[in-house]
């Protein structure tokens, strides 16, 4: 089976740690792994006025949130999927697993 694991997070260090843990676990079981492929970041930007009432000088606050995304592809039997993804995942990292027949 072909397995595609998509990881998303706002924290880059925890995302990279989960990626390396997944790849190390798969390589210990001698599975074919490609990745992590780095997908483009999503930059969410919000610009607001500093003053709550709108009077006074027009000074602005700018807030930005970056969402990082990685994709890992594996080829393995369906029985080992649960074992591969059962590693400890850092808080704030979302994992999406898709299984396709090859």
């Amino acid at each position: 089976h072909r397995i595609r694991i998509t990881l998303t997070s706002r924290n880059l260090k925890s995302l990279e740690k989960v990626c390396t843990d997944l790849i190390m676990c798969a390589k210990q079981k001698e599975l074919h792994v490609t990745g992590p492929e780095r997908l483009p970041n999503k930059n969410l930007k919000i610009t607001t006025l500093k003053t709550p009432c709108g009077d006074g000088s027009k000074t602005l606050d700018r807030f930005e949130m970056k969402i990082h995304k990685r994709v890992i592809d594996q080829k393995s039997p369906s029985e080992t999927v649960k074992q591969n993804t059962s590693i400890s995942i850092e808080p704030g990292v979302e994992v999406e697993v898709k299984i396709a027949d090859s």
Side-chain angles (χ1 to χ4, degrees):
H1 293 283
R2 247 185 40 218
I3 302 163
R4 174 162 279 187
I5 302 171
T6 306
L7 304 163
T8 57
S9 177
R10 292 182 294 169
N11 188 357
L12 184 61
K13 286 184 181 179
S14 60
L15 180 69
E16 290 293 333
K17 184 179 182 308
V18 172
C19 282
T20 55
D21 289 347
L22 278 171
I23 291 172
M24 293 295 281
C25 180
K27 295 223 176 185
Q28 285 175 355
K29 294 179 177 132
E30 298 177 358
L31 300 174
H32 183 264
V33 180
T34 58
E37 295 176 27
R38 289 156 177 82
L39 297 178
N41 295 341
K42 276 189 184 174
N43 292 334
L44 306 175
K45 296 179 182 179
I46 295 175
T47 305
T48 61
L49 283 174
K50 279 188 179 181
T51 59
C53 61
D55 295 336
S57 63
K58 305 295 182 198
T59 55
L60 302 172
D61 269 336
R62 292 178 188 89
F63 299 101
E64 185 176 283
M65 181 171 66
K66 291 185 178 185
I67 299 175
H68 306 278
K69 204 170 196 181
R70 301 285 186 266
V71 173
I72 299 173
D73 290 325
Q74 291 182 359
K75 286 189 178 177
S76 67
S78 59
E79 299 85 32
T80 60
V81 174
K82 190 146 190 131
Q83 295 172 356
N84 290 348
T85 57
S86 66
I87 63 165
S88 63
I89 296 172
E90 298 280 319
V93 178
E94 295 179 24
V95 179
E96 180 183 332
V97 179
K98 291 183 181 177
I99 301 173
D101 294 326
S102 50

